[in-house]
Amino acid sequence: MTNTLVSPQWLHSQLAANPNTIVLDASIEFQIPLEPQKDKSGVIPGAQRFDYDTVFCDPDATLPHMMPSAERFNALASELGIQSSSTIVVYDNSGTFASPRAWWMLKSLGIEKVYVLSGGLPAWKESGYEVGSDYSTPQAAELSQSLDSHYFLSAEQVLDHAQKRNARIVDARSLARFKGETPELEKACAAATSRAQSVCHLPSLWKAVH
């Protein structure tokens, strides 16, 4: 399997063939401007909650949903039964909006077989598959992975690239947020501007490729 995005049909077949597949709901609770409407009715059977806003994050950071330390990440992932060899599919209830962030986080921890459910929970339902009402309770596993530094850049590194103009810097926010025309949800980010050379708004890009 080489594609990062998987279809509801693939996931349904995978769950039947490999019941040990781990399904994670990475939906976010807060509403981001221009985010598709959330579908909060039901969860994919066997799914577990992957909350990177309040749990899988750095609780001491002054900014929201910052990356947790390797120690914290390993401990929390172990509670979900995640191992380095696990096959994991992440999804969210807006379509494919929050789940790519969870994919990136797990990949940075060295988990190789991580996939994103294309279309998320709405696509799963549209395909005619059943949903459950509760998250599953997994058996804990042992996990001791290191965070891959290649997945991260510091603010100083981004500034250096911007000044040297030796990298293409893209802002994934909407154009209105980029220009400061729409208030930011977090006070710490209010009136912030980036060094991005262009804007590539995720929902708009998603519509373009579908």
Side-chain angles (χ1 to χ4, degrees), residues 4-8 24-28 32 34-39 44 52 89-104 115-124 126 172 200-210:
T4 297
L5 287 172
V6 298
S7 68
L24 301 178
D25 179 357
S27 304
I28 52 178
I32 290 178
L34 301 181
E35 177 189 1
Q37 185 65 38
K38 300 179 189 293
D39 183 346
I44 293 177
Y52 63 70
V89 178
V90 294
Y91 77 93
D92 64 68
N93 58 14
S94 295
T96 311
F97 197 85
S99 48
R101 165 67 180 251
W103 171 86
W104 165 76
Y115 307 101
V116 176
L117 178 61
S118 182
L121 182 62
W124 175 267
E126 289 171 5
C200 186
H201 185 219
L202 179 58
S204 299
L205 176 64
W206 199 249
K207 290 179 181 179
V209 298
H210 279 66

Side-chain angles (χ1 to χ4, degrees), residues 11-172:
L11 176 57
H12 187 262
S13 298
Q14 177 71 13
L15 290 173
N18 182 9
N20 293 324
T21 299
I22 296 175
V23 180
L24 301 178
D25 179 357
S27 304
I28 52 178
E29 293 298 327
F30 56 92
Q31 189 78 29
I32 290 178
L34 301 181
E35 177 189 1
Q37 185 65 38
K38 300 179 189 293
D39 183 346
K40 297 184 177 182
S41 176
V43 299
I44 293 177
Q48 302 174 65
R49 186 75 174 101
F50 187 90
D51 181 358
Y52 63 70
D53 190 43
T54 62
V55 181
F56 283 82
C57 61
D58 180 355
D60 299 319
T62 57
L63 292 171
H65 41 261
M66 292 292 98
M67 192 73 176
S69 65
E71 180 181 10
R72 178 177 173 84
F73 202 169
N74 277 291
L76 292 170
S78 296
E79 294 176 3
L80 298 183
I82 294 175
Q83 298 175 300
S84 59
S85 60
S86 295
T87 297
I88 304 173
V89 178
V90 294
Y91 77 93
D92 64 68
N93 58 14
S94 295
T96 311
F97 197 85
S99 48
R101 165 67 180 251
W103 171 86
W104 165 76
M105 292 176 67
L106 291 162
K107 293 289 285 187
S108 75
L109 196 63
I111 311 299
E112 292 295 328
K113 294 181 287 187
V114 187
Y115 307 101
V116 176
L117 178 61
S118 182
L121 182 62
W124 175 267
K125 288 183 175 182
E126 289 171 5
S127 297
Y129 300 129
E130 65 178 12
V131 296
S133 57
D134 299 306
Y135 294 113
S136 66
T137 303
Q139 181 175 351
E142 293 291 332
L143 188 67
S144 181
Q145 299 283 107
S146 298
L147 290 173
D148 186 343
S149 61
H150 291 92
Y151 281 80
F152 309 93
L153 285 178
S154 67
E156 291 75 18
Q157 288 173 305
V158 174
L159 179 60
D160 183 59
H161 283 304
Q163 291 174 336
K164 293 179 179 178
R165 295 186 177 275
N166 60 355
R168 186 69 174 178
I169 302 175
V170 178
D171 194 318

